[in-house]
Amino acid sequence: MSSLPPSGKPLAADDYAARHDAALDFETVCLAARQQYNLAQVQALQPATVLEVGCGPELLALRAFGEPNRLTRWVAVEPAARWAEAARSAAAAEPRLAVVHDYVEHAADALAALWPAGPAAELVIVSGVIHETAEPEALLRAALRWLKPGGHLLVSVPNALSFHRLLAVQMGLIDAPEALSERNRLLGQPRVYRPEDLRGLVAPLGLVEVALDGYLFKPFTHAQMALLLPSLGERGVQGLIELGQRFPMQAAEIALLARRPA
């Protein structure tokens, strides 16, 4: 999560985590939608080994371990101390979970100690991360170093063509869908990806695209959606998540699943 704010100075992982947790509001729904989608992919792919880059504040691994599957090892690489410490606390009671407190670009030695025989991950998850880094290709290449032949990469980002951004353009509030929002600037996120941008980033990495999906329909900004949460309720939130799956190109977040040839 090596991030650059608009000033061009790196935003440290711990600073990012503090700002993120202090401004959750509708982000709790985004986290839930992301987890729901990622868990469905884990269950569909049935990997035995997973490398997750940036586990964040909600541990997908614990939810995955609670489902019937083939999981034997889940390695989470997390640079933010508060999130890494929480993950390590969980790992104390779950031997299948290992946590590396570092950026994945700097974690080669720690990962080699866990996987001394070389690439061992059948699934690499980079969810809600690459839009926070100034060097997304370097991050992905560092993570893919540990992906086995025949394994899958799952990478997700906020969508520049989300309905709420298209509406803002139509209203004259922003010049282009990929324009940085106030929240992007607060969290030091230098870029918002269109679907073709995400495809263009992954295509040169030697992987074959399997699917491009979307989840969570978000008609308004985070702050505006937060005001609607009490009236939406759980049923309304789930409806928004599923509507985003029906209209993936206008969903709040997009996810690309790609496979490394065997």
Side-chain angles (χ1 to χ4, degrees):
M1 210 184 301
S2 339
S3 306
L4 288 178
S7 64
K9 296 179 180 178
L11 183 65
D14 292 335
D15 291 338
Y16 174 88
R19 293 187 190 187
H20 176 279
D21 290 353
L24 280 175
D25 53 66
F26 190 70
E27 185 64 19
T28 57
V29 174
C30 297
L31 283 168
R34 202 175 302 141
Q35 290 250 348
Q36 189 176 122
Y37 177 83
N38 291 343
L39 182 61
Q41 296 307 306
V42 171
Q43 290 304 102
L45 295 170
Q46 286 291 306
T49 49
V50 173
L51 170 62
E52 182 183 15
V53 178
C55 63
E58 300 287 341
L59 283 180
L60 178 64
L62 295 186
R63 292 189 61 184
F65 289 144
E67 302 287 339
N69 51 50
R70 299 175 53 246
L71 288 170
T72 59
R73 171 63 96 187
W74 188 297
V75 179
V77 180
E78 174 54 62
R82 66 165 66 190
W83 294 341
E85 289 168 8
R88 281 177 170 166
S89 294
E94 176 47 78
R96 291 173 292 179
L97 175 62
V99 180
V100 175
H101 177 204
D102 209 338
Y103 293 95
V104 70
E105 300 95 320
H106 305 155
D109 290 345
L111 289 170
L114 291 168
W115 285 324
E122 295 180 5
L123 173 63
V124 171
I125 300 174
V126 186
S127 184
V129 171
I130 64 166
H131 64 294
E132 296 161 358
T133 178
E135 299 179 345
E137 184 176 344
L139 185 154
L140 288 176
R141 289 192 183 278
L144 289 172
R145 175 179 175 180
W146 305 98
L147 181 65
K148 294 175 64 174
H152 290 83
L153 166 71
L154 177 62
V155 55
S156 64
V157 289
N159 181 17
L161 299 186
S162 172
F163 179 88
H164 82 286
R165 286 181 170 270
L166 298 179
L167 178 60
V169 171
Q170 199 68 25
M171 294 173 65
L173 299 177
I174 57 176
D175 294 330
E178 63 271 27
L180 295 180
S181 68
E182 183 179 341
R183 182 179 178 84
N184 294 141
R185 293 188 175 92
L186 170 70
L187 296 177
Q189 298 167 345
R191 185 175 180 184
V192 187
Y193 286 78
R194 294 170 179 259
E196 58 264 34
D197 298 329
L198 184 57
R199 281 179 160 140
L201 178 64
V202 173
L205 301 177
L207 306 179
V208 178
E209 181 179 326
V210 175
L212 180 66
D213 296 321
Y215 50 87
L216 184 60
F217 193 80
K218 177 186 164 187
F220 308 113
T221 67
H222 261 47
Q224 291 167 327
M225 291 302 299
L227 296 175
L228 295 175
L229 280 178
S231 57
L232 281 171
E234 290 185 12
R235 184 174 179 180
V237 167
Q238 185 60 34
L240 289 174
I241 292 173
E242 294 173 6
L243 193 62
Q245 295 167 358
R246 288 188 58 191
F247 299 96
M249 293 302 98
Q250 280 70 58
E253 298 193 8
I254 48 175
L256 179 66
L257 180 67
R259 181 176 179 272
R260 170 164 282 171

